[in-house]
């Protein structure tokens, strides 16, 4: 489902509130040249992540799913002084492109890219007693969402905000018969959230250049 006005309105928002951004534009161009899929967050969504980091004075941010580092750049820009983003990526080529993009944006001193299946890195972080994060953004393979969310809570403190992207999937989330692995993974996340008394959560639907989708937002109790 799509309406051309969704994209037009996103472009209006970009023109009024976001402006041209050389580092983000260069990152998108490098992603394209490097053959990465164009599945980054939108410009408005990236700014939203930036604002969440700023509002929470986040010093420690965890991201699951780096791609070319577009959202990582926005998160890192919102860090408090001396803060750090830890971002997890399975694909070494994506990580290499992200490293160059983040470097070009002048942010490589505050971003740590860990290349491995995210669940392995997250389990190692939990076992290693990693300090809690202030903000978590989950945006990797959707089949892992429930497990990533569980580990994110384990790596949190009371008040940590956890965002999980792409949870509406053009409305597909309400189809119990779907055999789409991403929809099944998203529904498993909602099932887990329904019983998870460690957090207060909601989901917000969105439209725009990324069509009809949305995100889960949870705050750890
Ligand atoms: N957050 C990025 C942005 O907005 O710029 C987009 C991330 S993209 C939607 C998903 C990324 O997750 C891809 O780069 C993919 O390689 C990575 N990914 C997929 N499965 C993964 C896994 N099991 N562990 C870690 N990363 C994974």
């Amino acid at each position: 489902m799509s309406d051309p006005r969704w994209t037009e309105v996103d472009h209006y928002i970009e023109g009024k509130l976001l402006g041209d951004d050389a580092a983000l534009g260069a990152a998108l161009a490098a992603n394209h040249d490097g053959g990465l899929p164009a599945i980054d967050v939108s410009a408005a969504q990236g700014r939203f992540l930036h604002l969440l980091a700023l509002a929470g004075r986040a010093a420690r941010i965890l991201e699951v799913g780096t791609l070319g580092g577009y959202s990582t750049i926005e998160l890192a820009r919102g860090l408090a002084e001396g803060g750090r983003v830890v971002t997890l990526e399975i694909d070494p080529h994506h990580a290499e492109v992200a490293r160059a993009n983040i470097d070009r944006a002048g942010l490589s001193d505050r971003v740590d890219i860990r290349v491995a299946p995210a669940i392995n890195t997250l389990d190692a972080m939990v076992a290693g007693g990693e300090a809690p994060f202030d903000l978590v953004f989950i945006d990797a393979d959707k089949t892992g969402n429930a497990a990533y969310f569980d580990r994110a809570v384990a790596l949190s403190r009371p008040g940590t905000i956890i965002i999980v992207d792409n949870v509406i999937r053009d409305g597909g989330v309400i189809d119990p018969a779907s055999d789409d692995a991403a929809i099944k993974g998203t529904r498993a996340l909602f099932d887990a959230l329904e019983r998870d008394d460690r957090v207060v959560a909601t989901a917000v639907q969105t439209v725009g250049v990324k069509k009809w989708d949305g995100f889960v937002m949870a705050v750890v109790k």
Side-chain angles (χ1 to χ4, degrees):
M1 184 180 294
S2 188
D3 181 325
R5 286 174 299 176
W6 299 349
T7 295
E8 288 164 25
V9 172
D10 252 351
H11 290 157
Y12 176 79
I13 294 167
E14 286 164 25
K16 285 289 180 189
L17 304 180
L18 307 184
D20 287 335
D21 189 306
L24 292 177
L28 292 179
N31 290 356
H32 180 264
D33 292 348
L36 274 57
I39 52 174
D40 342 65
V41 294
S42 71
Q45 290 164 345
R47 176 65 65 82
F48 175 67
L49 294 171
H50 179 166
L51 292 175
L52 281 179
L54 274 182
R57 296 188 164 77
R60 286 181 50 77
I61 299 176
L62 173 62
E63 178 179 60
V64 184
T66 316
L67 191 65
Y70 185 96
S71 52
T72 320
I73 289 170
E74 284 287 42
L75 289 165
R77 286 172 168 175
L79 279 170
E81 187 71 30
R84 202 151 188 82
V85 177
V86 176
T87 182
L88 314 185
E89 175 55 54
I90 197 170
D91 186 316
H93 176 56
H94 292 184
E96 185 189 327
V97 173
R99 212 166 271 119
N101 287 338
I102 291 161
D103 194 31
R104 197 183 304 103
L107 297 164
S108 48
D109 60 336
R110 66 205 78 166
V111 177
D112 175 6
I113 305 177
R114 301 186 187 174
V115 184
I119 196 65
N120 297 358
T121 311
L122 290 166
D123 281 343
M125 289 165 87
V126 173
E130 180 106 12
F133 290 91
D134 305 306
L135 173 62
V136 182
F137 178 50
I138 299 174
D139 185 24
D141 58 306
K142 310 310 173 187
T143 53
N145 269 346
Y148 301 152
F149 187 89
D150 175 66
R151 300 330 186 262
V153 176
L155 291 164
S156 294
R157 50 143 177 98
T160 296
I161 293 173
I162 303 173
I163 303 287
V164 187
D165 205 8
N166 309 125
V167 300
I168 302 301
R169 315 203 67 79
D170 212 18
V173 68
I174 61 169
D175 180 3
S178 173
D179 56 6
D180 179 316
I183 289 175
K184 285 181 169 177
T186 304
R187 288 178 60 84
L189 170 68
F190 275 99
D191 289 346
L193 283 171
E194 193 179 11
R195 332 179 263 276
D196 196 335
D197 59 9
R198 301 172 297 173
V199 298
V200 181
T202 189
V204 177
Q205 300 185 66
T206 57
V207 295
V209 293
K210 300 291 171 176
K211 311 282 189 291
W212 177 23
D213 211 335
F215 60 89
V216 157
M217 178 168 176
V219 175
V220 177
K221 290 187 201 166

